[in-house]
């Protein structure tokens, strides 16, 4: 069965959603909406769907199997609540919401309506990160006790996404959800966070770099290092680099999609570069292929064939951790999470 979908938000990143939906069997976007009718019309013409400029009108008319929300976070709560009333499944872009109260209300609205909520958290679906997760879960490095994850670049993200220059808590709210989700996927729930921020770029309103130290429930610790003004040649964006160590071995994810595994007294190196989608191009293929991988998974999850990765309920923990990191940076203190996240 082909799931009938409706997309809300015809902006910068939604092109990736639409290209990926078009390449996948099992789902078809039949309607698109943007509050800017010019953008909705352009998407409708480019991707073959019916355009709308009001989400409530579209969902009431289409009653889709799922709603794919690709707007920025101020609109996520009302749109997820709307989707919970009018569709049988909802997918929301990160960050889940602006406040923890909104995020909790969104998860509750979908749970009450019996509508599955997935969060478009595609970094854990990037081919190199999937390879690291698979190696860790195979047990070959034993129990992980240390993670260092680095997302540092100087790519001009403000060109395609000008609103970021004015985004409050910029690095933590934009890239924080991605790196906290990857850390939780690799190291488990988080009990405490200590975070420091830096504002490096004079063009932007809020801190564009952070260093977060996590204490995980199982005893492991993580150091997450992010910056939007770190110059390297060649430019590393959008790669995440990491090292994860366990009692039996270590894994390094190195620049250029090289995965190096130290285990059993030997070292092995693998190429974990993703393929370039037919509609994609390097170096964006890392992100583009991850959107295909996430949405392929979303079709299976919406059909009840596998648990969502991540669900709204799981991503609520990542979002609580993001807000705790912001509070830590503001107060200069470590913040304990009341429920493990
Ligand atoms: N997962 C990733 O790798 C990734 C990458 C980039 C952006 N994002 C996320 O995607 C989301 C969108 O980012 P973007 O850069 O594409 O933003 P954008 O501003 O380019 O696009 C958002 C679009 O949504 C529309 N919109 C807003 N509220 C609406 C409403 N109530 N009804 C209908 N349309 C509405 C806007 O008019 C705009 O066209 C953000 O949450 C961002 O954090 C994720």
């Amino acid at each position: 069965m082909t799931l009938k979908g409706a997309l809300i938000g015809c902006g910068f990143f939604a092109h990736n959603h639409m290209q990926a939906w078009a390449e996948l069997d099992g789902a078809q976007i039949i309607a698109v909406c943007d509050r800017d009718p010019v953008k909705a019309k352009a998407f409708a013409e480019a991707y073959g769907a019916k355009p709308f400029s009001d989400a409530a009108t579209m969902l009431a008319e289409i009653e889709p199997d799922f709603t794919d929300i690709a707007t920025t976070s101020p609109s996520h709560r009302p749109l997820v609540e709307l989707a919970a009333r009018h569709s049988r499944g909802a997918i929301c872009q990160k960050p889940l919401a602006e406040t923890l109260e909104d995020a909790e209300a969104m998860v509750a609205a979908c749970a009450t309506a019996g509508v599955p909520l997935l969060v478009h958290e595609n970094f854990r679906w990037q081919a190199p990160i999937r390879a690291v997760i698979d190696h860790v879960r195979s047990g070959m490095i034993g129990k992980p006790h240390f993670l260092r994850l680095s997302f540092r670049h100087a790519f001009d993200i403000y060109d395609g996404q000008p609103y970021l220059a004015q985004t409050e808590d910029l690095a933590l709210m934009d890239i924080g959800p991605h790196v906290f989700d990857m850390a939780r996927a690799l190291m488990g729930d988080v009990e405490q966070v200590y975070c420091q921020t830096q504002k490096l770029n004079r063009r932007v309103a809020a801190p564009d770099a952070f260093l977060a130290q996590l204490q995980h429930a199982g005893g492991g610790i993580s150091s997450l290092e992010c910056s939007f003004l770190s110059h390297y040649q060649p430019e590393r964006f959008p790669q995440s680099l990491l090292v994860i160590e366990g009692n039996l071995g270590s894994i390094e994810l190195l620049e250029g999609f090289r995965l190096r595994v130290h285990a059993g007294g030997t070292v092995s190196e693998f190429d974990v570069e993703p393929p370039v989608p037919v509609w994609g191009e390097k170096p964006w293929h890392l992100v583009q292929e991850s959107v295909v991988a996430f949405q392929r998974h979303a079709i299976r999850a919406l059909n009840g064939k596998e648990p969502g990765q991540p669900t709204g309920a799981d991503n609520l923990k990542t979002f609580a951790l993001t807000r705790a990191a912001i509070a830590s940076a503001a107060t200069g203190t470590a913040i304990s999470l009341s429920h493990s996240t």
Side-chain angles (χ1 to χ4, degrees):
M1 186 188 96
T2 299
L3 298 174
K4 202 171 62 168
L7 174 127
I8 308 175
C10 303
F12 169 78
F13 201 73
H15 284 285
N16 295 314
H17 292 220
M18 293 301 288
Q19 297 276 20
W21 288 125
E23 110 167 44
L24 289 166
D25 291 330
Q28 187 188 1
I29 299 294
I30 61 165
V32 293
C33 170
D34 199 289
R35 61 186 174 195
D36 177 344
V38 175
K39 287 186 174 179
K41 186 164 173 285
F43 258 53
E45 285 172 3
Y47 300 110
K50 186 169 177 184
F52 290 84
S53 57
D54 178 65
T57 306
M58 174 177 77
L59 294 189
E61 181 180 320
I62 302 289
E63 294 277 341
D65 293 317
F66 71 98
T67 304
D68 187 16
I69 298 163
T71 59
T72 44
S73 56
S75 56
H76 286 177
R77 177 176 175 175
L79 293 176
V80 165
E81 289 175 343
L82 189 67
R85 291 196 294 278
H86 290 285
S87 55
R88 285 173 285 287
I91 306 172
C92 184
Q93 256 296 349
K94 52 58 65 175
L96 186 54
E98 292 206 293
T99 66
L100 197 50
E101 184 192 348
D102 283 351
E104 285 168 346
M106 293 156 64
V107 172
C110 288
T112 304
V115 167
L117 172 62
L118 301 174
V119 179
H120 188 122
E121 187 41 81
N122 55 316
F123 273 42
R124 72 158 78 178
W125 287 95
Q126 290 175 359
I129 302 300
R130 295 202 306 272
V132 176
I133 291 173
D134 288 346
H135 277 83
V136 169
R137 292 189 183 164
S138 77
M140 69 194 307
I141 66 161
K143 183 171 183 255
H145 53 236
F146 175 75
L147 167 71
R148 184 172 67 238
L149 201 162
S150 170
F151 186 84
R152 303 180 74 79
H153 67 84
F155 178 74
D156 184 6
I157 52 174
Y158 313 102
D159 185 37
Q161 298 170 278
Y163 64 89
L164 289 176
Q166 301 307 320
T167 295
E168 213 176 315
D169 302 306
L170 170 59
L172 277 164
M173 280 298 268
D174 184 55
I175 205 66
H178 289 311
V179 294
F180 292 136
D181 181 71
M182 289 189 284
R184 289 186 56 243
L186 287 164
M187 299 287 287
D189 279 349
V190 175
E191 291 183 336
Q192 183 175 277
V193 55
Y194 177 69
C195 186
Q196 291 171 291
T197 57
Q198 291 174 297
K199 191 163 110 51
L200 304 174
N201 187 334
R202 279 182 301 171
R203 282 173 60 197
V204 304
D208 50 353
F210 70 84
L211 173 61
Q213 184 180 311
L214 309 182
Q215 173 74 54
H216 295 270
I221 55 173
S222 295
S223 173
L224 310 182
E225 304 158 5
C226 298
S227 155
F228 298 170
L229 199 68
S230 296
H231 297 278
Y232 293 96
Q233 289 302 326
E235 172 57 75
R236 292 176 176 176
F237 187 84
Q239 295 176 68
S240 301
L241 308 180
L242 66 81
V243 56
I244 182 165
E245 301 173 358
N247 58 318
L248 298 178
S250 303
I251 298 171
E252 297 171 275
L253 178 56
L254 304 167
E255 197 185 339
F257 310 108
R258 287 174 298 132
L259 186 76
R260 194 176 288 159
V261 181
H262 309 256
T266 61
V267 56
S268 322
E269 194 163 306
F270 306 92
D271 177 3
V272 289
E273 181 166 6
V276 184
V278 282
W279 48 272
E281 60 175 328
K282 292 186 179 187
W284 316 120
H285 61 313
L286 175 64
V287 175
Q288 291 162 336
E289 191 270 343
S290 74
V291 173
V292 178
F294 168 75
Q295 291 183 184
R296 182 181 293 115
H297 156 73
I299 293 169
R300 291 184 60 77
L302 290 169
N303 283 319
K305 293 191 172 150
E306 57 194 45
Q309 281 197 56
T311 60
D314 179 79
N315 199 250
L316 194 50
K317 295 182 177 186
T318 300
F319 189 71
L321 175 55
T322 305
R323 296 306 315 178
I326 291 168
S328 171
T331 58
T333 59
I335 305 282
S336 294
L337 282 305
S338 46
H339 321 284
S340 282
T341 59

